[in-house]
Amino acid sequence: VRQILLDMDGVIVDFVKGVCGLHGRTNPYLNGKNINEFGMDKIWGLSASDFWKDCGYEFWSSLEFSPEAESVISRVEECVGPENICLLTAPCATAGCIDGKREWVRKFMPAYSKRLLVGSSKEFLAAPGRLLIDDRNENVWSYVKASGPAFLFPRPWNDNHDLQGCWESELDSELGALKGELAY
Ligand SMILES: [Mg+2]
């Protein structure tokens, strides 16, 4: 079996842009000192509750696609077919989050409405031949530890930040490996 679990926020959904707008702040990753720091609450000196409190239905259902989304989606669909791809997203605790994410998928990726998985313990889905594409270091580490292949999508906030300029070729080589063209 060859399947792909595609993370939403930070991969195909522009969470950073949305949350900067919500808080009226500039993108902290334009500042080099924040490279490889995932927690924007920490960067901004906010408590987790202050950071997340307004991230409800309206917020999650109206986020924009990331600039890379179209290309990511076409590459993964080309590799395994859309029927073998699930969106996999971790919710925050704010009321309305999960419904907002479901609405986002219904509006912007309706073909995936029944292939949306919500949960934080992504490693429980780890299996050979099932590739996780995610932007959070810890998600990739725990998935790999549970014996699943994973691709850390290059972003300023993760260990692959130096690969941002060549994310297409990095992703293509992971997808090639998934198809068995290369050895894992
Ligand atoms: Mg993510």
Side-chain angles (χ1 to χ4, degrees):
V1 27
R2 289 181 176 83
Q3 296 173 323
I4 291 175
L5 300 170
L6 183 59
D7 179 33
M8 291 170 63
D9 302 308
V11 178
I12 61 165
V13 175
D14 201 341
F15 170 79
V16 168
K17 182 178 180 182
V19 85
C20 285
L22 182 71
H23 285 278
R25 296 181 186 241
T26 55
N27 182 342
Y29 300 108
L30 299 175
N31 183 337
K33 78 173 165 56
N34 295 320
I35 294 303
N36 218 352
E37 174 55 60
F38 185 86
M40 294 174 71
D41 50 350
K42 193 171 155 197
I43 292 172
W44 287 341
L46 296 174
S47 67
S49 62
D50 281 343
F51 180 80
W52 293 109
K53 69 176 160 46
D54 294 324
C55 296
Y57 181 90
E58 201 46 49
F59 174 77
W60 293 107
S61 62
S62 56
L63 289 175
E64 295 176 18
F65 278 105
S66 68
E68 298 81 9
E70 190 181 344
S71 176
V72 171
I73 293 163
S74 71
R75 281 162 200 269
V76 295
E77 288 186 342
E78 163 77 20
C79 181
V80 297
E83 70 280 10
N84 290 306
I85 301 167
C86 266
L87 303 176
L88 175 59
T89 187
C92 70
T94 310
C97 169
I98 294 175
D99 284 344
K101 283 173 176 276
R102 186 186 289 122
E103 174 63 9
W104 187 92
V105 174
R106 192 196 64 77
K107 271 196 294 194
F108 299 114
M109 295 181 72
Y112 284 82
S113 292
K114 299 206 176 204
R115 294 196 309 282
L116 167 63
L117 306 178
V118 180
S120 305
S121 301
K122 298 184 176 183
E123 71 279 8
F124 274 75
L125 294 169
R130 186 181 291 153
L131 176 70
L132 173 71
I133 300 174
D134 203 281
D135 64 310
R136 185 173 193 169
N137 287 336
E138 290 80 0
N139 289 348
V140 164
W141 298 338
S142 58
Y143 195 90
V144 167
K145 198 175 166 193
S147 301
F151 176 60
L152 182 64
F153 195 89
R155 292 296 187 193
W157 48 85
N158 67 37
D159 283 348
N160 275 353
H161 54 84
D162 284 341
L163 299 175
Q164 288 176 85
C166 55
W167 71 266
E168 290 107 328
S169 58
E170 293 292 319
L171 176 58
D172 286 348
S173 75
E174 289 292 332
L175 296 175
L178 185 67
K179 282 198 291 189
E181 291 169 6
L182 298 164
Y184 256 117

